[in-house]
Amino acid sequence: MSKESYHVNRFELLMDAGFGAQKAGDILISAFAHTGRYVFIEPMIPAEISPPARSRPALSGAIIRVADFDLENIGNTTDLMVAQHEIVLDRRLDDEEYSPSCRVLLDMGDQKNNQDSYEMVMKRANKAGLRVYPFEITDEAQTILKFLAGKGKNMYYLGMLSAIYCVPEDVMIAEIKSTFGKKLKEEILNKNIEIFHQGHEYATQNIDFSFEVVSESNGEGEKVLIDGNTALSLGIVDAGFKLISGYPITPASSIMHTLAKIFPKYGGMVHQAEDEISAVGTAVGAYFGGTPSLTATSGPGLSLKQEFIGYASAAEIPLVLADIQRSGPSTGMPTKTEQSDLLSSIYGAHGDNTQVVIGVGTMLDCFYAPQLARYFAEKLRLPVFIMSDFQMANSYKVIPKPKTFNLKNVEDISDEVLNHFDLDRLPLDIEMVRDDQSNPGVPGHMRRVTGLNTDNEGKVNYFAKTNQRSHAVRNEKVHHVRRSMREPQMFGDCREGDVLVLGWGSTHGAISEAVVSCQKQGLKVGGLCFRIIYPLPLMLADVFKRFKKVVTVEGAYGDKYKRTPLAMFVRSKTLVDVYPMISRATGRPITPKTIENQVKELLKNL
C-alpha cells in the first residue's frame, strides 16, 4: 500500500439495514480512540423497520471522521466509501457529500444478477469524479459467511478499513471481543474474527493505498467516547433525577434504553407510559410529590404534551422535558435531523405560558444540561426544556471525562456548571403566585393544586388584579434568568467586525469550525451558539451592534418570505435585522465549508 498521511479524514461504511454497519463503525471508532485519535461518528439509520434488502430505503451505515485534533462535527466531504452493493452506493451519491478525490470500494458480490444496475451506478460514480475500486469477498471468507447464515460481511469490511486506516489488528480484535464476547458463542465469535482477518489480509494485499492519521495521544487526562443521548442520560443520573416517564419515539427512545440499564443502581425508575400525555402527566405528578422527574420525547410527542406543559406553569409544579428533535411535521423523517421545534418549545402552549429553554450543542452540554434544567425547574417552578436533535443525540465523539457532582439539592449546583452556561446564580428568594409551595404530606400545609388562576393563598380567583399579578409573577421568574445571564461566549478572537454568525444546538461544531477558519484568513467574522435560548441575555442587542451583519445558521426551513425560527425569535427580541443565512431542512448536518462559503459571499456585498 502507498501510505498517505492526513490530519483529518472522513470515510463511510454503507450497507443494508440489519447487516451490522453501525456496529462495525462503533468498533472502529473505539479502536481509533484507544490508539490516540479523535473521532466523530454519525450513524445513518433507515426510518423503515426492516426495509427490504437491496432497496434504496435500506441504506444503513456510519460516517466516521478521524483526526489528530479535537472534532466537533462530522466535517464536509467523504474521502472513502465502502459499499456492500451498488444500490446503497447509488442512494448515498444522491446526497453529494463526497470529495473530488473520493475513492469507492464497491463489493461486486451481487453483480452476477444485477449487471446493468452495477454498470449504471459505476458510470454515475465515475462521472462524478470518484475512483471506483471493485472487489469481491474471497472464497474462503464466503465459506465462513455461509456458516454464519450470511451474516458477517461487516466484519470483512471492518478488516479492510482497519488495514486501510493503519489500526493494529490486535487492537481491533480486542474491540471485537469486548463488543461481542458476552453476546456470541465462542465458535461464532471466532468465526467473526476469522472473517475480520480475511478482510484485513485482502486489503493489505490488494488495495494500493492507505490513510494514516497519526496522533500520539488525544490529549491529557481520562477520555470517554460518548454520544449525545448517552451523555444526557448520564447527566440525568448525576443531576439527581429519580424518575423518567416516557413513551417510545425516535430519536428520544435511547435515553430510556440507557436509563433502564443503569437507573435502578442509583435509586431511579424508568416508567414507560401508555402514551405521551400519560408520560408528561406522570412526570408532573411525581415532581409535585417531591421526586425530581422528567420526560423525554420528540416533535410529535411534544405536541401532545402541550396541555400538561401549560398546567405545570400555572400550577407551579417543576417539569423538565427533553425534546430530541427530528424532521417534521407529523411523522416526517424520524431518523433525520432538524431544528424546527424551537418556537413550539417557546410558544407552543396556550395562553401566556412561561418556561425556560436550554439548547445542547456539545457532549458536555448534554451532560450538564439536566443539572441546569433541574436547578431552573425547582427554583422557578416552571417547565424547562432541554432541546437536542437527531444529529446531537446519535453522534459519537471523544471528550474529557466530565466532572460529576451527584447533585442532591439544587441550591448546591456547582459554579462550574453555571459557568459552562454563562450564568450567575438566581436569587435565593423568588416570588411565587402561591405563597405555600409545600410538598404533599407536610402537616398543616394542605393546599389546592390547580391550573385555574389563584391568589397568593392558593384560592381560585378570577379578579382582574389577581390574574394580572399571576402573569407578572410567572414572567418575573423568567426575568430572573435574563438578569443572571452573562454575555455569551464567542468563537475565536473576533468580538466585533463584519459578520456575526448565530446558531444553537447541533450547529455549534460546524459554526465554530467555519468561524475560526474565517478568522485565520483575516476575515472579521464572529460566531456564537446559544446554550440558553429562552430567555435571551439582556445585552444581546449591544453585542449585535458590534457587527455590520448578523446572520443565523439553522437546520430548519426558511425562504425569502419565511424566516427561520431562531432568526425570527432573535429579531423580535433585539429589533436587529437578523438574516437567516443558511436555512436547510434536508435532514443532513450543515457543514463547516457551507457556512464558510456563504459568509464569504455575504462579505462581498457588505
Side-chain angles (χ1 to χ4, degrees), residues 543-569:
V543 174
F544 289 177
K545 290 174 184 176
R546 301 203 297 258
F547 292 85
K548 296 177 182 177
K549 191 76 174 177
V550 182
V551 299
T552 61
V553 172
E554 299 175 69
Y557 180 77
D559 56 39
K560 65 178 182 179
Y561 299 116
K562 178 183 184 295
R563 288 183 184 263
T564 43
L566 182 64
M568 182 191 310
F569 173 64

Side-chain angles (χ1 to χ4, degrees), residues 262-335:
I262 65 173
F263 220 7
K265 298 177 183 177
Y266 300 92
M269 178 184 292
V270 175
H271 172 240
Q272 180 174 319
E274 63 266 32
D275 57 36
E276 295 281 5
I277 300 172
S278 175
V280 66
T282 299
V284 171
Y287 228 139
F288 170 60
T291 300
S293 307
L294 76 157
T295 184
T297 190
S298 189
L302 177 62
S303 299
L304 292 169
K305 295 179 188 290
Q306 290 291 359
E307 184 175 0
F308 259 120
I309 292 168
Y311 178 82
S313 178
E316 294 185 309
I317 300 174
L319 171 63
V320 174
L321 187 151
D323 176 25
I324 318 301
Q325 301 166 98
R326 68 192 205 186
S327 183
S330 189
T331 314
M333 299 192 295
T335 59

Side-chain angles (χ1 to χ4, degrees), residues 460-604:
V460 174
N461 188 310
Y462 300 140
F463 295 166
K465 289 184 179 180
T466 305
N467 191 54
Q468 182 72 10
R469 173 187 174 270
S470 297
H471 284 305
V473 169
R474 284 192 293 268
N475 280 277
E476 181 63 15
K477 297 177 188 181
V478 179
H479 300 336
H480 282 304
V481 178
R482 280 192 178 90
R483 289 189 287 267
S484 298
M485 295 174 71
R486 307 170 195 159
E487 183 174 316
Q489 298 177 32
M490 301 184 74
F491 302 131
D493 56 7
C494 181
R495 299 292 180 272
E496 58 181 305
D498 295 322
V499 177
L500 176 63
V501 183
L502 305 178
W504 71 282
S506 60
T507 59
H508 179 282
I511 292 175
S512 173
E513 186 171 318
V515 166
V516 171
S517 175
C518 287
Q519 291 175 3
K520 288 179 178 178
Q521 298 171 57
L523 304 178
K524 296 180 179 179
V525 177
L528 65 86
C529 274
F530 297 108
R531 287 188 165 103
I532 299 174
I533 318 164
Y534 187 81
L536 294 173
L538 292 170
M539 77 297 295
L540 197 59
D542 294 330
V543 174
F544 289 177
K545 290 174 184 176
R546 301 203 297 258
F547 292 85
K548 296 177 182 177
K549 191 76 174 177
V550 182
V551 299
T552 61
V553 172
E554 299 175 69
Y557 180 77
D559 56 39
K560 65 178 182 179
Y561 299 116
K562 178 183 184 295
R563 288 183 184 263
T564 43
L566 182 64
M568 182 191 310
F569 173 64
V570 172
R571 186 175 189 270
S572 71
K573 294 300 178 182
T574 63
L575 299 183
V576 174
D577 188 18
V578 178
Y579 168 73
M581 183 180 72
I582 296 178
S583 50
R584 287 180 52 179
T586 63
R588 299 292 305 136
I590 297 170
T591 68
K593 185 58 67 175
T594 299
I595 299 170
E596 183 177 332
N597 290 341
Q598 288 290 96
V599 167
K600 289 177 178 177
E601 282 296 315
L602 194 61
L603 288 171
K604 291 178 183 178

